[in-house]
Amino acid sequence: MTNKKNIILLYLLITFEIIILLNSKVVIKSVTSSSILFILNIFPSMFPAMIIGNLLIKERIFLIIPKQIKNLFKKLFGFDDVLTSIFIISMFCGTPSNALYINEYLDDKNAQKMIQITHFINPLFIVGTIGVGVFKSAKIGFILLFISWVENLIKAFVLKDKNITVNKQINIKENSFINNLIESVKTSINACLLIFGLIITFNLLIALTSNIFYIPDNINVILSGILEMTSGITKLKDINIIMPVKIILSYLFINFGGLCIHMQTFSMLENKKISYLKYLIFRLI
């Protein structure tokens, strides 16, 4: 059975390689546009956020979070200090950065819970790229950001666990700030390179599919949003539909995240027993 699966996979890969060769112009254009999209719109907001988020946790940000906020998160969501720190940092650093912190500091049970309720898209991306870049309105960007935050807070309340687990794993050996900075930069660079590659791959699939088959523009936007969120949202400004529908679609794309982000997230959860089905359900509601 395994050999048959391998043979089928080999045929599919050869077929895909032939398709790439026959559509070389489309491939080059797609890779180029994806690279520009990543460098100009994604990397500038994601890379600094990853570094800062890692540093905040390594330097034990929970030591300076006001007691009132800790108590509020404990009462509303059943969070200990570490879970509170990761949730708050995820709000400002976004996805898939949250997966880096969840993977390093949480056990399987808490990792499953937190990955479902910390799906935040970077605020700078929502306000700048989506609000200003797509809709020419920072106000729309802030509205989408606010809805995203509230939605995850509601999900956190739904998954409230009265049996709070203190994560002993956070008590790692203290390093100097310079060492933590260097380690955070290395981790962030590796994560960004992985994200870069996945964005190129998914956008290439979208480009080849659109080139081989006739797909109406509206359907193409939805397909793009399902596969790769950024591509789908940036294409919204080029289709002829009313503004409220564009805003609703943007919100749906943000909430779902796109299969590309799903893959980015789970690729960073090393040795964690996480149910993708549960994660997917929370992306669809």
Side-chain angles (χ1 to χ4, degrees), residues 146-197:
F146 176 75
I147 294 174
S148 175
W149 283 1
V150 171
E151 172 203 354
N152 281 284
L153 287 169
I154 293 173
K155 291 176 179 178
F157 183 77
V158 171
L159 289 184
K160 179 180 179 180
D161 186 357
K162 295 181 180 179
N163 298 317
I164 301 172
T165 302
V166 177
N167 292 277
K168 302 296 184 182
Q169 198 174 347
I170 194 69
N171 297 318
I172 57 177
K173 182 180 178 181
E174 290 192 30
N175 293 318
S176 68
F177 178 79
I178 297 299
N179 287 336
N180 284 337
L181 175 61
I182 292 173
E183 187 177 341
S184 297
V185 170
K186 288 180 179 179
T187 302
S188 301
I189 287 177
N190 290 334
C192 284
L193 287 175
L194 173 63
I195 292 167
F196 184 29

Side-chain angles (χ1 to χ4, degrees), residues 234-269:
T234 54
K235 287 179 180 179
L236 284 173
K237 59 184 178 182
D238 298 324
I239 61 174
N240 186 25
I241 57 176
I242 59 176
M243 184 62 69
V245 175
K246 290 185 178 182
I247 296 174
I248 292 173
L249 284 174
S250 293
Y251 164 71
L252 293 175
F253 292 160
I254 290 171
N255 182 58
F256 182 67
L259 295 178
C260 183
I261 284 184
H262 294 191
M263 188 173 291
Q264 294 167 24
T265 298
F266 274 76
S267 67
M268 298 177 190
L269 295 170

Side-chain angles (χ1 to χ4, degrees), residues 5-276:
K5 289 183 178 179
N6 290 342
I7 291 174
I8 293 174
L9 178 60
L10 287 172
Y11 277 119
L12 289 175
L13 290 174
I14 292 172
T15 302
F16 189 63
E17 177 66 21
I18 293 173
I19 292 174
I20 289 177
L21 292 174
L22 295 176
N23 297 272
S24 56
K25 290 184 179 180
V26 175
V27 171
I28 293 173
K29 182 179 178 181
S30 175
V31 173
T32 302
S33 62
S34 296
S35 301
I36 293 173
L37 177 69
F38 178 81
I39 292 171
L40 296 183
N41 296 322
I42 300 176
F43 184 77
S45 60
M46 179 176 292
F47 184 63
M50 281 185 171
I51 295 176
I52 293 172
N54 261 313
L55 277 174
L56 286 173
I57 295 180
K58 289 179 182 298
E59 294 296 320
R60 293 164 172 75
I61 186 178
F62 58 83
L63 295 175
I64 63 170
I65 294 177
K67 185 177 180 180
Q68 294 84 350
I69 294 180
K70 292 180 182 178
N71 291 337
L72 179 63
F73 273 71
K74 180 178 180 180
K75 182 177 180 180
L76 291 177
F77 312 121
F79 287 175
D80 63 10
D81 291 355
V82 176
L83 296 181
T84 298
S85 302
I86 290 177
F87 189 89
I88 292 175
I89 291 175
S90 297
M91 291 177 68
F92 295 97
C93 295
T95 300
S97 301
N98 63 325
L100 292 175
Y101 323 136
I102 290 171
N103 180 67
E104 184 168 356
Y105 300 112
L106 302 184
D107 55 26
D108 289 347
K109 177 184 176 182
N110 284 301
Q112 177 72 68
K113 174 181 177 179
M114 294 302 286
I115 203 65
Q116 294 171 200
I117 60 177
T118 57
H119 176 83
F120 297 101
I121 303 303
N122 188 285
L124 181 58
F125 178 81
I126 292 181
V127 176
T129 302
I130 299 177
V132 177
V134 176
F135 296 110
K136 310 300 180 185
S137 170
K139 181 179 179 180
I140 293 177
F142 279 111
I143 291 174
L144 290 171
L145 178 62
F146 176 75
I147 294 174
S148 175
W149 283 1
V150 171
E151 172 203 354
N152 281 284
L153 287 169
I154 293 173
K155 291 176 179 178
F157 183 77
V158 171
L159 289 184
K160 179 180 179 180
D161 186 357
K162 295 181 180 179
N163 298 317
I164 301 172
T165 302
V166 177
N167 292 277
K168 302 296 184 182
Q169 198 174 347
I170 194 69
N171 297 318
I172 57 177
K173 182 180 178 181
E174 290 192 30
N175 293 318
S176 68
F177 178 79
I178 297 299
N179 287 336
N180 284 337
L181 175 61
I182 292 173
E183 187 177 341
S184 297
V185 170
K186 288 180 179 179
T187 302
S188 301
I189 287 177
N190 290 334
C192 284
L193 287 175
L194 173 63
I195 292 167
F196 184 29
L198 288 172
I199 287 175
I200 288 178
T201 301
F202 274 83
N203 281 332
L204 179 59
L205 290 173
I206 295 170
L208 289 173
T209 302
S210 301
N211 187 62
I212 296 172
F213 305 101
Y214 170 73
I215 303 176
D217 291 340
N218 292 356
I219 302 299
N220 188 29
V221 168
I222 295 175
L223 176 63
S224 298
I226 292 174
L227 292 178
E228 206 285 299
M229 180 196 70
T230 305
S231 177
I233 292 177
T234 54
K235 287 179 180 179
L236 284 173
K237 59 184 178 182
D238 298 324
I239 61 174
N240 186 25
I241 57 176
I242 59 176
M243 184 62 69
V245 175
K246 290 185 178 182
I247 296 174
I248 292 173
L249 284 174
S250 293
Y251 164 71
L252 293 175
F253 292 160
I254 290 171
N255 182 58
F256 182 67
L259 295 178
C260 183
I261 284 184
H262 294 191
M263 188 173 291
Q264 294 167 24
T265 298
F266 274 76
S267 67
M268 298 177 190
L269 295 170
E270 300 174 355
N271 302 318
K272 297 294 182 185
K273 296 179 181 179
I274 305 294
S275 169
Y276 175 69

